[in-house]
Amino acid sequence: MAKSKKPSFKDCSRDWQDSLIKRMFEKLDLEDCAAAAIGFDMAAKEDNWGLCVLTVDIKYENGKLQLLLPHHATVERYPKQFPIKPTLAHLRDLLAGLRERKIWTVLAVDVPLGWPGSHGDFTNDWSAMNGATTELPTRDEFEYRLADLRLKERLGANLFAVGADKIASAAFQWANVRTGLGSLIDACDVGFGTNGDPLITLFETYPAAFVRLNCPNWVKYKSGEKKSKKCPDPQSSAKLRCQLVDQISQDYSLDSSRCQSQLDQACLASRSDAFDGFLSALSAWDYLRWRRDGTESHTTTTPEALFGNPPTDKMRKRIEAEGWILTRMSPLKQIKGANHSTSDATEESDSTPPATMQGTE
């Protein structure tokens, strides 16, 4: 009798990756799960995406880490490891499974959900033959959205402009991803809440802002500290991420035992895609508390919070078109001059060093 052929490592690893979400749900179905908080670190290339899934109890107080990608895994009978990276199929299967189980879900995406309105107005008006027929926007108006301008002022550091090539490519990729998700997304919150009670809600977040606003001692978790200007410390970012996880464990009741090796890999990796996905998932958890319970300790960077008063109708329309960054901030850390006039104008400051780039790796 002929022996059955042993499946190849390539076939086994592909099957393992394809069944990843199914296996996660097999474990999830044995537990009580009131809500899911998903963090998605977007980039122009799928190879650089990060994905994290947390499940949360009915009171939104206790969470479990269920999945963190990318990470290296092993297949039974094969000693070597292989990388598992998140794909659009993973995200689609994840959202579809949560919808099927009627689990309230929040998806926090680290990518701009739109472009500056002035950018589009300018490009529509511009002619290579004749130039512009209307007044040119300022450089800031051309490159930054209203959310970016305001949060840049709040952070005391620049964000990378959506108008820049890399970040615009990531935003364009998100447009393709959202189209690929079809009707799985029920609502997008740009800081004004949602109509009704959507099962799956989307919002834009920014992990670097989360850290700067809530854990300022670890703002260099991506780049790391340097021994000197000419001597970077390659172990520094890993050390800072491990310290940041320790700090997070004091602020969040999170059981990471199921995926501890994945979280360890995210801390030690040279890239930050998995770790940014993890931070984005925490922001999704914060959103659950804030929207459902109005928890004061989870005050969020809504337009009203950053402007100090409700935005005008004109601003609201602009925000709904451009998108808005939502992330937790201390209720005691109010923006300087928050009650001043909510003019669209913001002074340009090229001298401020840039903060970590959002979703462009």
Side-chain angles (χ1 to χ4, degrees):
M1 183 176 178
K3 293 183 179 180
S4 58
K5 184 178 179 181
K6 180 181 178 181
S8 68
F9 175 76
K10 182 178 180 181
D11 289 339
C12 285
S13 60
R14 184 178 61 247
D15 291 344
W16 181 272
Q17 177 153 317
D18 290 345
S19 64
L20 184 67
I21 301 301
K22 178 182 178 182
R23 288 184 281 108
M24 189 201 76
F25 277 120
E26 288 174 351
K27 296 177 181 178
L28 200 60
D29 288 340
L30 302 176
E31 304 172 351
D32 291 330
C33 174
I38 302 173
F40 186 30
D41 180 43
M42 267 290 302
K45 295 182 179 180
E46 189 174 288
D47 280 350
N48 299 330
W49 291 359
L51 179 66
C52 180
V53 181
L54 306 178
T55 54
V56 186
D57 66 6
I58 192 66
K59 295 183 178 180
Y60 317 115
E61 293 177 354
N62 302 292
K64 288 184 178 181
L65 180 58
Q66 302 288 356
L67 180 67
L68 184 56
L69 296 174
H71 69 260
H72 282 76
T74 56
V75 178
E76 189 177 357
R77 297 183 295 176
Y78 289 95
K80 61 180 180 179
Q81 292 187 326
F82 66 96
I84 295 184
K85 297 182 179 182
T87 64
L88 177 56
H90 284 143
L91 184 59
R92 189 188 300 115
D93 291 346
L94 175 61
L95 295 178
L98 292 166
R99 176 177 291 282
E100 179 183 349
R101 291 161 176 78
K102 295 181 171 57
I103 296 173
W104 191 54
T105 300
V106 172
L107 171 63
V109 183
D110 173 23
V111 78
L113 300 189
W115 285 263
S118 295
H119 190 140
D121 293 342
F122 167 77
T123 53
N124 284 334
D125 175 66
W126 179 258
S127 164
M129 293 290 291
N130 304 314
T133 59
T134 59
E135 184 179 355
L136 296 180
T138 66
R139 180 68 177 267
D140 265 0
E141 289 172 334
F142 179 77
E143 293 188 339
Y144 293 97
R145 302 172 300 163
L146 188 58
D148 305 321
L149 291 168
R150 199 58 178 175
L151 193 55
K152 181 173 73 168
E153 182 181 340
R154 173 65 185 87
L155 296 176
N158 282 332
L159 306 182
F160 273 73
V162 182
D165 289 344
K166 291 183 70 176
I167 201 76
S169 296
F172 181 76
Q173 179 72 315
W174 167 249
N176 283 280
V177 168
R178 188 166 184 186
T179 300
L181 294 177
S183 59
L184 289 171
I185 302 294
D186 295 321
C188 178
D189 191 349
V190 292
F192 303 127
T194 59
N195 294 324
D197 193 18
L199 186 63
I200 298 180
T201 302
L202 157 76
F203 73 90
E204 177 185 343
T205 195
Y206 188 18
F210 168 86
V211 174
R212 189 174 288 272
L213 291 169
N214 299 283
C215 308
N217 291 334
W218 294 276
V219 294
K220 295 184 178 181
Y221 74 96
K222 286 193 178 188
S223 60
E225 302 284 359
K226 292 184 178 180
K227 295 179 180 178
S228 68
K229 289 184 178 181
K230 296 183 179 181
C231 185
D233 181 1
Q235 303 300 319
S236 178
S237 59
K239 180 179 179 180
L240 288 174
R241 289 179 201 173
C242 290
Q243 292 174 350
L244 180 52
V245 169
D246 289 341
Q247 178 61 46
I248 286 169
S249 67
Q250 298 179 35
D251 298 334
Y252 297 81
S253 178
L254 177 63
D255 179 0
S256 60
S257 58
R258 177 170 292 171
C259 302
Q260 188 59 52
S261 66
Q262 298 173 17
L263 185 55
D264 291 342
Q265 289 180 44
C267 290
L268 298 175
S270 59
R271 303 188 59 84
S272 64
D273 38 17
F275 199 81
D276 276 344
F278 172 64
L279 295 178
S280 296
L282 292 179
S283 290
W285 186 1
D286 290 331
Y287 180 96
L288 286 165
R289 297 184 185 182
W290 170 60
R291 279 300 189 212
R292 288 292 176 161
D293 293 341
T295 308
E296 186 176 341
S297 63
H298 288 72
T299 301
T300 303
T301 56
T302 61
E304 185 170 343
L306 290 184
F307 281 111
N309 48 34
T312 63
D313 290 342
K314 180 180 178 181
M315 281 185 183
R316 179 166 181 141
K317 289 180 180 178
R318 179 178 173 183
I319 289 166
E320 289 174 344
E322 294 183 343
W324 190 269
I325 294 168
L326 297 178
T327 192
R328 176 187 178 186
M329 66 178 184
S330 166
L332 299 179
K333 295 178 181 177
Q334 298 301 322
I335 186 169
K336 293 181 180 179
N339 293 319
H340 62 61
S341 172
T342 55
S343 168
D344 283 10
T346 301
E347 292 184 3
E348 185 174 6
S349 177
D350 290 333
S351 60
T352 308
T356 307
M357 185 180 292
Q358 180 191 25
T360 63
E361 295 183 279

